[in-house]
Amino acid sequence: MKDGIIIQARTGSTRLHNKILLPFYGGQRIIDILINNIKQACPGKCIVLATTNRPQDDVLAEVARRAGILSFRGDEDNVLDRFLCAAETFGIDRFIRVCSDNPFLRPETFATFFAEHTSSPADYIAYGFSDGRPTIKSHLGLYAELTTTEALRRVAAATQEKLNIEHVTIYLYTHPETFHVRLLPLPDELEGRFDLRFTLDTMEDFTLLQELYATFREKTDRSVHALLQLVEAHPGYRIKMLENIARNEK
């Protein structure tokens, strides 16, 4: 079984254009940070940047080339098809789906995803809250999700509704009667923390996370615990996160 990591990326975000290409930390852009962290955590894995076939995203194909990873160009709106075709093009059987707007993503957890799938195969594996909500339905931005190419083929055969083709995995975890869904327990300190936002959609997010990331990288051991302590030590961070959560529904 061939494993992969597929990174979903485009420049045409409506809320903050080019957000993953803006200078973020130490001369690096968010997309650079993500790719570098994934390469370090997943040596030997097939890494694909899946972007759109629009000319404005030529820059992302070049980012992938320079980083020494693969790229795939597909439909901007039918992201389900883009992922399915990317996986099939490179012969990937199961993969981690990564959103490119999560600079605090924990790629060291990818090995856990693959190990969990090997020991107990499923169509969808993600970290989840005790209420049954996968982290993709929160603002955490710390964890990715695993699915299989075969599961996406079944989704594509079952639906072409706008919501389901724009959001790659939503049909999987909202149809547990049809797909085998497994949610892994979050660390205790993250359970119920719907007040945290480490994902990025707007300039308000960018400004906050850029400041937070610099301190996190330079003055902590870069653990999740240290990240939470940093937020707790700066009440202004949490206030801004709550404001941004209210403005950006998941």
Side-chain angles (χ1 to χ4, degrees), residues 10 16 19 44 48 52 62 68 100 141 191 212 218 227:
R10 64 173 182 147
L16 181 58
K19 61 185 176 182
V48 181
T52 84
E62 180 62 14
S100 60
E191 176 56 47
L212 181 59
E218 297 167 10
L227 180 59

Side-chain angles (χ1 to χ4, degrees), residues 4 15 33 44 52 82 87 96 102 139 159 168 179 181 208 238 246:
R15 283 175 283 189
I33 291 169
T52 84
R82 195 196 316 166
I96 306 291
N102 294 331
H139 299 255
T159 177
V168 179
F179 295 93
V181 174
L208 171 61
R238 185 170 170 276

Side-chain angles (χ1 to χ4, degrees), residues 2 4 6 46 48 50 70 72 80-95 148-154 156-157:
K2 184 174 180 179
I6 304 182
C46 178
V48 181
L70 300 169
F72 180 84
L80 172 64
D81 182 72
R82 195 196 316 166
F83 266 76
L84 182 53
C85 290
E88 291 178 336
T89 296
F90 297 110
I92 297 170
D93 299 299
R94 61 181 185 177
F95 60 87
T148 69
T149 306
E150 179 56 31
L152 290 196
R153 288 192 190 104
R154 290 166 56 201

Side-chain angles (χ1 to χ4, degrees), residues 50-106:
T51 191
T52 84
N53 49 25
R54 297 187 66 184
Q56 68 191 50
D57 286 325
D58 291 351
V59 61
L60 292 177
E62 180 62 14
V63 165
R65 188 191 69 79
R66 288 175 179 253
I69 66 171
L70 300 169
S71 66
F72 180 84
R73 311 289 293 272
D75 191 277
E76 180 173 30
D77 298 318
N78 192 338
V79 191
L80 172 64
D81 182 72
R82 195 196 316 166
F83 266 76
L84 182 53
C85 290
E88 291 178 336
T89 296
F90 297 110
I92 297 170
D93 299 299
R94 61 181 185 177
F95 60 87
I96 306 291
R97 174 179 172 263
V98 171
C99 297
S100 60
D101 49 10
N102 294 331
F104 291 90
L105 183 75
R106 310 297 297 190

